């Protein structure tokens, strides 16, 4: 008799005992694939605490690149359609304390949304220019995004998101940008 979550047959659970392949793949009506998923309005979703390593680089003509790096605890959710959301809290180091940043990755499109002291939504999609407003405590700016490359390899265990784009603020080009996000599962204590 086990009170813990089901374990895939043939694997070694935390107890160190191999589960017999004859063990039923269904336990209390949930298959092992859906265990640790939360049900939200009838949709299965994986939700995990993660560590995000975010590196941003801006490059202007004739000027050395400006780089920023941030390591933050965050949350990763993956819905049953495969869309991945990465979210974390900004800090004073980024100048956006009190702001939540999230990336929603759906196929060849990534949407960066910020809410809090800074609000914005930037859409990154190769071949599709996007414009949006960037609201700060000092006023709003028009931001134009042209994505040249978007690549991601994200699973429930982590992965990477890589975006290359140019940005114009108030229709004035500000250079090329690169955002690289590495995601790692947070180790349980």
């Amino acid at each position: 008799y086990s009170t813990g979550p089901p374990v895939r047959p043939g694997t070694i659970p935390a107890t160190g005992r191999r589960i017999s392949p004859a063990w039923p793949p269904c336990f209390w009506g949930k298959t092992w694939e859906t265990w640790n998923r939360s049900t939200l309005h009838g949709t299965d979703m994986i939700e995990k605490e993660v560590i995000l390593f975010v590196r941003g680089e801006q490059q202007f003509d004739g000027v050395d690149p400006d780089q920023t790096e941030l390591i933050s605890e965050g949350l990763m959710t993956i819905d049953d359609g495969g869309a991945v959301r990465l979210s974390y809290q900004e800090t004073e180091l980024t100048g956006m304390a009190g702001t939540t940043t999230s990336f929603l990755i759906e196929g060849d499109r990534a949407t960066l949304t910020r809410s809090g002291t800074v609000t914005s939504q930037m859409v990154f999609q190769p071949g599709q220019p996007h414009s949006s407003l960037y609201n700060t405590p000092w006023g709003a700016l028009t931001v134009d995004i042209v994505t040249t490359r978007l690549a991601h390899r994200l699973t429930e265990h982590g992965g990477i998101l890589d975006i290359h784009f140019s940005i114009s603020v108030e229709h004035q080009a500000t250079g090329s940008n690169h955002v690289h996000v590495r995601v790692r599962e947070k180790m349980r204590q």
Side-chain angles (χ1 to χ4, degrees), residues 162-181:
D162 202 50
I163 307 170
H164 293 261
F165 62 100
S166 61
I167 189 167
S168 299
V169 177
E170 294 297 324
H171 309 293
Q172 297 294 315
T174 61
S176 62
N177 297 268
H178 176 210
V179 174
H180 181 83
V181 181

Side-chain angles (χ1 to χ4, degrees), residues 1-8 10-20 23:
Y1 178 74
S2 172
T3 59
V7 178
R8 182 178 205 168
T11 61
I12 301 174
T15 62
R17 289 189 351 243
R18 182 173 297 279
I19 301 298
S20 165
W23 186 79

Side-chain angles (χ1 to χ4, degrees), residues 42-111:
T43 304
D44 283 339
M45 184 182 334
I46 297 171
E47 186 173 275
K48 288 193 172 188
E49 292 181 353
V50 294
I51 304 294
L52 298 160
F53 302 84
V54 182
R55 186 180 73 232
E57 181 179 302
Q58 288 185 319
Q59 192 162 12
F60 307 99
D61 290 334
V63 179
D64 287 338
D66 179 29
Q67 292 185 346
T68 57
E69 291 189 3
L70 169 73
I71 300 173
S72 180
E73 292 182 357
L75 191 65
M76 176 175 63
T77 57
I78 304 174
D79 71 18
D80 60 350
V84 178
R85 181 179 303 274
L86 306 170
S87 58
Y88 63 94
Q89 297 294 314
E90 295 284 352
T91 67
E92 289 185 22
L93 294 174
T94 63
M96 293 183 279
T99 299
T100 300
T101 296
S102 69
F103 288 92
L104 176 62
I105 302 99
E106 302 171 288
D108 71 341
R109 177 182 171 127
T111 305

Side-chain angles (χ1 to χ4, degrees), residues 4 6 22 27-28 41 43-44 58 90-91 97 116 121-122 138 146 155 158 181:
F27 189 75
W28 289 330
H41 305 293
T43 304
D44 283 339
Q58 288 185 319
E90 295 284 352
T91 67
Q121 185 177 52
M122 294 184 229
W138 304 277
V146 176
T155 70
V181 181

Side-chain angles (χ1 to χ4, degrees), residues 132-153:
S132 63
L133 283 179
Y134 193 88
N135 294 304
T136 71
W138 304 277
L141 303 167
T142 301
V143 176
D144 303 314
I145 304 287
V146 176
T147 306
T148 54
R149 181 172 183 266
L150 171 68
H152 56 87
R153 194 172 56 245

